[in-house]
Amino acid sequence: MSLREIARFTDVYEADLAAAFLASHGIEVSVTERYQTTVDPLMQRALGIRLMAPASRIEEARALLARAQAGEFATEEGDEVADMDAGTRATGTIMALTAFATGGFWGNSLPRRFRPVAWQGMLISFVVLAAATIAIAIVFKILFDPPRG
């Protein structure tokens, strides 16, 4: 049984979804270059990820993928995601700003046993977190604490 290429994708997850879709319709396919491209993600664009199937099922598989891409299998319920509330959005913003201010990490990529503890990054993180907490407390006090008098 010889395998031939059905389609080529630039994302391994998209290729896996297409493979699962085809398998649900009775067409067994294999995803090639999965391991090379997950080890070095830049290779996904260079090599592409191919879906391979038996030569006798090529036309049927390509037709199913074309129908899926046209939206024929979409459901009415859709994939609506609820909007984020203000507290979650504010917390995420503070966390992102803290990560940006501290470089996003406290050390390098070496295993912990080979590197010293990065006290500078931890100190900067704690100072920024303390300053943000104090600023938020002041803002809440100004906004929600009625004046006494």
Side-chain angles (χ1 to χ4, degrees):
M1 165 172 76
S2 67
L3 296 177
R4 291 189 38 211
E5 180 178 323
I6 299 171
R8 188 177 295 248
F9 297 93
T10 57
D11 184 13
V12 70
Y13 304 111
E14 187 179 6
D16 282 337
L17 283 171
F21 172 75
L22 291 173
S24 73
H25 284 82
I27 301 173
E28 292 301 321
V29 298
S30 64
V31 180
T32 63
E33 289 91 17
R34 172 185 288 132
Y35 302 110
Q36 296 92 324
T37 58
T38 52
V39 169
D40 185 7
L42 295 176
M43 295 301 290
Q44 287 184 13
R45 301 252 185 241
L47 293 177
I49 294 96
R50 297 180 298 163
L51 285 184
M52 307 292 281
S56 61
R57 308 290 304 265
I58 294 287
E59 295 306 319
E60 180 184 2
R62 286 182 181 159
L64 276 170
L65 287 177
R67 288 171 51 198
Q69 191 169 13
E72 184 176 326
F73 298 99
T75 61
E76 292 297 321
E77 64 191 41
D79 57 351
E80 295 298 319
V81 178
D83 288 337
M84 238 188 291
D85 62 283
T88 304
R89 187 178 305 278
T91 303
T93 302
I94 290 170
M95 290 172 61
L97 290 173
T98 303
F100 176 74
T102 60
F105 59 92
W106 291 343
N108 57 26
S109 61
L110 291 174
R112 184 160 296 282
R113 67 178 181 271
F114 295 133
R115 63 181 165 148
V117 175
W119 295 105
Q120 301 88 352
M122 291 193 306
L123 180 63
I124 291 170
S125 294
F126 293 133
V127 167
V128 168
L129 185 61
T133 304
I134 291 169
I136 290 171
I138 290 170
V139 168
F140 274 106
K141 180 155 180 66
I142 291 170
L143 293 175
F144 299 113
D145 194 19
R148 295 182 194 149

